[in-house]
Amino acid sequence: MCIHQVFLILEIGLIKNKFKKQKGLSIIEAITASTILAVSVIVFMTLQSEQEKRFTLLRKFDKAAYAVDLVFEELNAVYAPKPNQYGDPVVFQNTNPSGGSTQSIVISALTSVPEVGDRFVIAGVPGTYEITAATSLTNTRSTLTVKRSDIPDTSPNLSLASNAVANAKLTFTLNANGSLDPYDDLDLLKYQDSTYKSSLSSDLVTSLEKWGDLLNNHLGRALTDDKRLIEVDEVTVNIPVDDNNDGVTDQVSGVDQFTSVNKTQVTITIKQDNITEIFRRHYTNGS
């Protein structure tokens, strides 16, 4: 055997030995690759599932937004921003503060009896007063039982802040019928809760059942800590002044001019599965 043949045999042996080793290494690599692939598939499927779940929830919120718009429109139909004055009411006779939790005061020049829950101010007397009871109309007069509404109900003295003189003018600032205040803290999750509904007026119950069922149809059954709530607040909003209607805020000495406007703010909060959406609309007062 020549030297060339010997080297050839040795080379073939080395190659065979190399491939034997490489075959074992390929199995390990295949197992490792399979494991990585399996983990990747599991992670991908988990993320895909979460993404689909979130996408489904967002689609529900899109549909719920239409329901919220309906709620706002129906509240707009209820809202009466310019209070009924019931004629030209004035204080019938000089009235001193009673110093108690309520105050009786006779009002004249009425065309009809004000509603319980209506609020008014009296010329020359600090504070805002809410009617808790009213007698029938006699010769344009009615005796109103009132309490102050601009201080906490827990205050010991809710009567007149000072003397009300005869013929002092009354100005109604809010009518209970047409006010959005009764909708404050209305929990739309409790539209099937008999105990909760028993504490509400029939009109509120009708709205609660309609809106609560509508949102339930779009969002599905509520989970623990979910929220579907209406809140009503009085806010002051700064509106840009544009007296010449040129679309640009008027300025004085280079400073933008604004006017403050009181508005009723309605906020509807929807929380579902750790996602919270807040919808808000302003209703202008006194217009």
Side-chain angles (χ1 to χ4, degrees), residues 26-277:
S26 296
I27 292 174
I28 294 174
E29 288 177 345
I31 293 173
T32 303
S34 298
T35 303
I36 294 173
L37 179 61
V39 172
S40 299
V41 169
I42 293 172
V43 171
F44 174 78
M45 294 301 293
T46 302
L47 293 175
Q48 182 75 4
S49 176
E50 289 296 322
Q51 186 176 9
E52 289 180 357
K53 182 180 178 182
R54 187 175 180 84
F55 180 71
T56 300
L57 186 58
L58 290 175
R59 288 185 62 187
K60 288 183 177 181
F61 267 95
D62 285 341
K63 293 180 180 179
Y66 290 105
V68 169
D69 280 340
L70 175 64
V71 173
F72 281 137
E73 291 305 317
E74 294 194 358
L75 287 174
N76 189 57
V78 171
Y79 186 53
K82 191 171 184 178
N84 180 11
Q85 296 300 313
Y86 304 102
D88 296 305
V90 295
V91 176
F92 177 65
Q93 57 192 6
N94 292 342
T95 306
N96 298 324
S98 66
S101 59
T102 60
Q103 173 83 47
S104 291
I105 184 169
V106 181
I107 305 302
S108 62
L110 292 165
T111 55
S112 59
V113 179
E115 299 283 343
V116 170
D118 285 359
R119 295 178 185 175
F120 61 86
V121 294
I122 306 172
V125 180
T128 301
Y129 299 88
E130 181 177 328
I131 299 174
T132 60
T135 63
S136 300
L137 210 60
T138 303
N139 296 326
T140 75
R141 294 195 298 271
S142 174
T143 300
L144 307 181
T145 303
V146 303
K147 65 176 182 178
R148 286 190 68 172
S149 62
D150 59 323
I151 58 177
D153 281 340
T154 54
S155 300
N157 184 2
L158 297 174
S159 65
L160 293 178
S162 64
N163 295 339
V165 300
N167 296 316
K169 181 177 176 57
L170 267 68
T171 302
F172 282 86
T173 60
L174 180 145
N175 294 143
N177 183 17
S179 167
L180 297 182
D181 285 355
Y183 294 88
D184 187 31
D185 288 328
L186 186 64
D187 191 344
L188 300 179
L189 289 174
K190 296 182 178 179
Y191 72 102
Q192 293 180 323
D193 188 330
S194 299
T195 303
Y196 180 72
K197 292 191 291 185
S198 66
S199 65
L200 306 175
S201 67
S202 59
D203 289 340
L204 276 180
V205 170
T206 299
S207 297
L208 172 64
E209 291 176 341
K210 179 179 180 180
W211 300 338
D213 183 61
L214 187 62
L215 285 174
N216 189 68
N217 288 337
H218 288 308
L219 293 172
R221 181 177 59 86
L223 305 176
T224 303
D225 296 329
D226 281 358
K227 188 176 184 180
R228 300 169 193 173
L229 183 69
I230 296 178
E231 296 171 287
V232 180
D233 300 288
E234 300 300 319
V235 298
T236 301
V237 180
N238 290 327
I239 306 296
V241 175
D242 183 16
D243 290 335
N244 56 5
N245 296 317
D246 62 354
V248 179
T249 303
D250 295 345
Q251 293 187 337
V252 175
S253 300
V255 178
D256 288 343
Q257 298 301 296
F258 295 88
T259 183
S260 296
V261 178
N262 293 325
K263 293 194 175 189
T264 296
Q265 175 178 279
V266 177
T267 303
I268 300 179
T269 303
I270 297 179
K271 179 179 180 293
Q272 184 91 356
D273 193 22
N274 296 323
I275 296 179
T276 301
E277 288 283 347

